[in-house]
Amino acid sequence: MNTSLPRVAVLASGRGSNLAALLAAREQGELPVDFVLVGSDKAAAGALRLAEAAGIPTLALDPRSYPDRRAFDLDLFARIAASGAELLVLAGYMRILDGDALRPWVGRMINIHPSLLPKYRGLHTHRRALEAGDHEHGASVHFVTAELDGGPVIAQARLAVETGDDEHRLAQRLLPLEHRLLPAVLRLLASGRLQWDGHAPRFDGQPLPAPLILSDHGLGDPDLPLAE
Ligand code: GRF
């Protein structure tokens, strides 16, 4: 463990491609953080195997071993705190979090969600965007609050919907953008450029009036063109 770097824990329930993107960014020297723990509610999650291969401590907790959501989340967050993590990333973590249990992490916890929030909180975001006839879809990274997928949005990656898109194709085309968006936002948070003032995000000391937008050049001004 390199104790001079910000310490980050990641929670993931599935295959872990967003975790892989974080690890790759770190390997490439683009994300100077120390991953101290990868946790999951699914012992079989691919994300745990990725973490093991990268030499990162892992944690698998089974929600069925706890009397209720709050008990599970309190134990989970206690263990994350014990890992020394200062920041927490939800990278495909598919459980709703208890509002009281998550409170100590507000402002230090981000989530990636596959829609242009505030559109399509919850599940089946690609299908819902197609059914609505949207011309534009995307992904958002937001601070996690007690409101499901409802915390302040920090940054978004936009994608033009194409004629041949179905749910699967749209998800596949969006994923590479997610894989750039999440490390870029974590980098800002870890560097201190992105902060939480108790109610809202601040970027370089200023309120963030609109989400940052991912372009070929990284995160920047919302008026930049669409990512293709
Ligand atoms: C991603 O689409 C993410 O936006 C959503 O869940 C999916 C996780 O994929 N929250 P992976 O496990 O990171 O591959």
Side-chain angles (χ1 to χ4, degrees), residues 113-162:
H113 181 76
S115 80
L116 292 175
L117 290 171
K119 282 188 161 185
Y120 315 128
R121 297 177 184 181
L123 299 174
H124 310 303
T125 57
H126 313 300
R127 186 191 311 168
R128 289 156 69 198
L130 289 169
E131 284 173 356
D134 290 356
H135 296 295
E136 188 183 47
H137 188 46
S140 305
V141 175
H142 63 94
F143 278 114
V144 177
T145 64
E147 197 179 347
L148 177 66
D149 298 327
V153 178
I154 301 160
Q156 294 182 319
R158 297 180 190 158
L159 181 69
V161 176
E162 293 178 352

Side-chain angles (χ1 to χ4, degrees), residues 80-93:
I80 293 168
S83 76
E86 302 156 290
L87 303 173
L88 179 53
V89 178
L90 307 185
Y93 185 63

Side-chain angles (χ1 to χ4, degrees), residues 38-150:
V38 172
S40 185
D41 57 323
K42 301 252 187 292
L48 293 177
R49 305 292 89 76
L50 288 172
E52 287 163 4
I56 300 166
T58 60
L59 171 70
L61 296 182
D62 185 349
R64 293 170 297 190
S65 308
Y66 295 79
D68 55 28
R69 180 186 307 284
R70 177 163 303 189
F72 176 82
D73 285 349
L74 285 171
D75 189 31
L76 176 65
F77 285 121
R79 290 168 185 253
I80 293 168
S83 76
E86 302 156 290
L87 303 173
L88 179 53
V89 178
L90 307 185
Y93 185 63
M94 300 306 286
R95 277 179 62 83
I96 292 172
L97 294 170
D98 177 83
D100 287 334
L102 69 79
R103 191 161 296 126
W105 288 90
V106 171
R108 299 189 292 142
M109 172 164 47
I110 57 174
N111 176 49
I112 184 154
H113 181 76
S115 80
L116 292 175
L117 290 171
K119 282 188 161 185
Y120 315 128
R121 297 177 184 181
L123 299 174
H124 310 303
T125 57
H126 313 300
R127 186 191 311 168
R128 289 156 69 198
L130 289 169
E131 284 173 356
D134 290 356
H135 296 295
E136 188 183 47
H137 188 46
S140 305
V141 175
H142 63 94
F143 278 114
V144 177
T145 64
E147 197 179 347
L148 177 66
D149 298 327

Side-chain angles (χ1 to χ4, degrees), residues 14-18 91-92 112-114 175 178:
R15 66 195 157 181
S17 72
N18 277 285
I112 184 154
H113 181 76
L175 210 49
E178 294 187 34

Side-chain angles (χ1 to χ4, degrees), residues 170-181 214:
L170 190 54
Q172 287 298 314
R173 292 202 306 114
L174 183 60
L175 210 49
L177 296 180
E178 294 187 34
H179 296 165
R180 290 175 49 221
L181 183 67
L214 186 73

